[in-house]
């Protein structure tokens, strides 16, 4: 599936997420000539009509723990394919998001502290 929610997403629905290593094919698809501005790559497993599990290769960033736009794009693709309901839980390695798709897309979930860093400008 190809879905644009403000940024482009290539989505692959699979029967078992654990059988696919996004590190291997994510960069190949992200940088394919078909996508001159690159694209996000998502593999998704429909757990139930109310639950989807995904892994994401984000354009310009690589494998990510979470990607809100990917969760939204997958929900739209699954709903329009009649594989999921309009309100689902999307599980990513970094946590869960609740996505609701009607005329708009509404995303909600918790936030987590990821890292702290500092640097000096010279």
């Amino acid at each position: 599936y190809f879905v644009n929610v403000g940024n482009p997403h290539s989505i692959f629905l699979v029967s078992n997420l654990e059988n696919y290593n996004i590190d291997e094919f994510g960069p190949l698809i992200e940088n394919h000539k078909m996508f001159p501005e690159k694209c996000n790559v998502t593999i998704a497993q429909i757990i139930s009509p109310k639950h989807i599990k995904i892994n994401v290769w984000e354009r310009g960033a690589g494998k990510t723990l979470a990607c809100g736009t990917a969760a939204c794009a997958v929900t739209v693709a699954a709903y329009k394919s009649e594989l999921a309901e309009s309100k689902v839980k999307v599980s990513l390695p970094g946590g869960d998001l609740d996505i609701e798709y009607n005329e708009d897309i509404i995303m909600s979930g918790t936030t987590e502290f990821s890292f702290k860093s500092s640097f000096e400008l010279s």
Side-chain angles (χ1 to χ4, degrees):
Y1 298 87
F2 299 104
V3 177
N4 190 320
V5 289
N7 57 351
H9 291 265
S10 296
I11 301 164
F12 298 88
L13 297 181
V14 299
S15 59
N16 186 345
L17 196 66
E18 305 306 318
N19 290 341
Y20 300 89
N21 183 354
I22 197 131
D23 294 324
E24 291 179 11
F25 66 87
L28 299 174
I29 297 168
E30 172 197 10
N31 295 292
H32 192 276
K33 65 182 179 181
M34 186 166 69
F35 305 106
E37 296 181 16
K38 301 186 179 185
C39 73
N40 294 309
V41 182
T42 303
I43 52 175
Q45 178 181 350
I46 309 294
I47 305 298
S48 76
K50 294 182 179 194
H51 185 201
I52 304 170
K53 186 175 178 182
I54 69 174
N55 283 329
V56 180
W57 183 271
E58 200 166 349
R59 70 175 175 171
K63 186 175 180 179
T64 61
L65 294 176
C67 180
T69 59
C72 293
V74 166
T75 299
V76 171
Y79 176 75
K80 290 197 171 240
S81 300
E82 299 181 353
L83 298 171
E85 295 182 7
S86 63
K87 187 173 183 178
V88 298
K89 175 175 74 172
V90 179
S91 296
L92 301 103
D96 296 336
L97 290 169
D98 294 312
I99 310 294
E100 184 173 355
Y101 173 62
N102 289 310
E103 289 183 28
D104 296 314
I105 302 171
I106 300 168
M107 176 175 53
S108 59
T110 61
T111 58
E112 298 289 331
F113 185 78
S114 180
F115 69 92
K116 181 180 179 178
S117 182
S118 63
F119 60 94
E120 273 187 47
L121 293 174
S122 50

